[in-house]
Amino acid sequence: HASVLGFAIGVSLLTAVVFGLAPAVLASRGRIADVLRNGEGGTPAVKKRAALLAVQVAISLALVAGAAILVHSVRASLDTDVGFDPQDIAAVSVATQFNGTSAANNREYMAVITALQHTSGVTHAAASTQVPIAPMARSPFGPGALADSSADYAIGTTAASGPTTMTGVSHIMGDYFRTMGIALVAGRPFNADDQRNSQRVVILNESAARALAPGTSPIGKQVHGGGFLKVWYRYTVVGVVRDTKYRSLQDSHLPFAYVPITQEDITSPHINFIARSDNPQAMLATMQRTVTAIAPDLKLADTPELRPRLLSDQIAMLVAPQRLAAMLLSGFALLALCISGVGIYGTVSYITARRSAEIGIRMALGARTSDVLMLVLTQTAVAIAIGMGIGVAGTALAAKFLASWVSNVGALDPASVMAAIGVVALFAAVAAIGPCWRAMRIDPVAAIRTAE
């Protein structure tokens, strides 16, 4: 589609040049004697050009500020601390619907993980039902044991004791936290002793720990959770890990719980094998071959969101719409700047041409160069200032819309607006240099004779 985009850009530029240069060409053909008879720059023609110039500047400022806001947003999103290290992590997903007991399934998962850990270039490997940043499963979790405090699990809506908190849940296996680069804040990670016949354990993130054990350490305390098909389990908290982003880069203090795969049946339709490697791109193919060779009954997922991927690319895709919008808006902003630059050039040239006789007389009477500049630029500067004021107001309204889907930037980013004002002012100054230079070099005698 590059040809379509090129054609659109070409047509836009041609339109800008044609409609921008037309007023300047007409202005350069004006008769000075008519200008003197019509007054000193206050004619309806000059006022119309000044009004049009104000509109051009307002649109340019709004577009430049909007583009700056989006660019700032993209950079801030990419710099967001996601709570884990997404670099050098490869992920391959498989479907969990296959024949075999849970114990047999777990052996296959662990066999794949063990093979990956012994693969050259791999530092850590693991498996999980949820891989950030993506849609996640959530379940209710509450503090304390079940209603029957002696039960390890219970069925029914009344099994829970007290209020619950909706918590993200991921079933994990292997060296998950080291693989993801998630820091352990307190307690211990899961180990080989956490099996189906042992006490059920859970690791909470910091937000879940605050929600389920406010004001105290949750390590060693009991919580209950589940709710799927009205089945509740009792867990003992053995660790707390750092908060991370789970569903999106906008997540903030989202409770999350980690449960070992070895202790309960997986209800997720997919499981993700992840590996940290010094060559993650090449590792994707190696991981697929490993899964196929060790567990041929595991079907590789082929949906777009679960295709073999790098976590760094997965995060970059989250800001892809913002990046595209920033590129498009930057293109429109540049086009608007060109149009307003041509408009400023034409307006200053028009004013200079209409007032050349007046300028000549003033210079003959001893007017200084600064006086000539003030005479030429006053109306243009007023129009530009009015346009900038309107543009800032328009930016404030547009920013409210951008803030509804753009992260890391407020409804109106002062830095972006000030940068946009500076860019528009610079373009205006450059566009006015030529006409102002000609105005300062007007020959007073020739200008007065031409106007007679």
Side-chain angles (χ1 to χ4, degrees), residues 46-356:
V46 174
K47 292 180 179 180
K48 289 179 181 178
R49 282 169 171 78
L52 179 60
L53 177 59
V55 173
Q56 292 173 341
V57 170
I59 294 175
S60 299
L61 179 59
L63 289 174
V64 173
I69 289 174
L70 286 176
V71 170
H72 185 187
S73 168
V74 171
R75 290 181 177 177
S77 295
L78 293 176
D79 293 338
T80 297
D81 182 9
V82 294
F84 62 93
D85 182 10
Q87 301 301 320
D88 301 329
I89 298 181
V92 172
S93 302
V94 298
T96 57
Q97 287 95 348
F98 58 93
N99 295 326
T101 64
S102 294
N105 299 345
N106 292 340
R107 284 194 295 271
E108 284 191 311
Y109 299 154
M110 184 52 68
V112 173
I113 294 172
T114 301
L116 292 176
Q117 289 174 333
H118 288 85
T119 301
S120 176
V122 174
T123 56
H124 303 287
S128 67
T129 54
Q130 305 284 327
V131 173
I133 298 174
M136 70 174 196
R138 301 178 72 186
S139 296
F141 270 74
L146 297 167
D148 180 0
S149 59
S150 63
D152 289 329
Y153 72 93
I155 300 176
T157 56
T158 60
S161 57
T164 59
T165 300
M166 290 304 297
T167 304
V169 180
S170 181
H171 293 73
I172 65 174
M173 175 181 282
D175 201 359
Y176 177 80
F177 298 113
R178 288 188 179 179
T179 304
M180 293 296 299
I182 300 176
L184 185 68
V185 176
R188 66 168 177 85
F190 299 134
N191 57 42
D193 294 330
D194 298 320
Q195 300 295 325
R196 184 176 290 269
N197 58 355
S198 62
Q199 183 183 50
R200 291 183 185 272
V201 293
V202 65
I203 293 176
L204 305 176
N205 74 342
E206 293 170 300
S207 293
R210 286 192 296 268
L212 299 178
T216 184
S217 172
I219 303 299
K221 289 183 169 56
Q222 291 186 339
V223 297
H224 60 274
F228 182 72
L229 296 180
K230 300 180 181 180
V231 178
W232 297 83
Y233 296 102
R234 180 179 64 175
Y235 300 94
T236 298
V237 180
V238 296
V240 177
V241 295
R242 185 186 177 194
D243 279 357
T244 73
K245 304 293 184 181
Y246 299 100
R247 296 173 301 183
S248 70
L249 296 177
Q250 290 77 42
D251 278 346
S252 178
H253 306 299
L254 183 68
F256 206 90
Y258 301 90
V259 179
I261 289 177
T262 53
Q263 288 197 328
E264 59 187 61
D265 296 332
I266 297 176
T267 57
S268 172
H270 296 94
I271 190 169
N272 308 279
F273 293 104
I274 54 176
R276 182 174 292 277
S277 168
D278 54 11
N279 188 356
Q281 188 65 54
M283 182 54 54
L284 291 174
T286 301
M287 293 175 70
Q288 294 178 78
R289 290 194 298 268
T290 300
V291 171
T292 302
I294 294 178
D297 52 347
L298 293 178
K299 183 180 179 182
L300 294 171
D302 56 3
T303 58
E305 64 275 9
L306 293 175
R307 68 188 186 283
R309 61 207 181 275
L310 304 182
L311 288 199
S312 56
D313 291 344
Q314 186 169 311
I315 293 176
M317 287 297 295
L318 295 176
V319 297
Q322 295 179 21
R323 195 193 301 270
L324 177 59
M327 293 175 58
L328 292 176
L329 198 56
S330 297
F332 286 126
L334 180 60
L335 179 60
L337 282 173
C338 293
I339 294 174
S340 63
V342 172
I344 292 170
Y345 179 90
T347 300
V348 178
S349 297
Y350 184 76
I351 293 174
T352 302
R354 292 185 67 89
R355 306 185 73 171
S356 59

Side-chain angles (χ1 to χ4, degrees), residues 344-345 348 373 377 426-440:
I344 292 170
Y345 179 90
V348 178
L373 281 176
L377 293 179
L426 178 62
F427 263 72
V430 171
I433 287 176
C436 288
W437 178 256
R438 289 197 300 272
M440 291 186 294

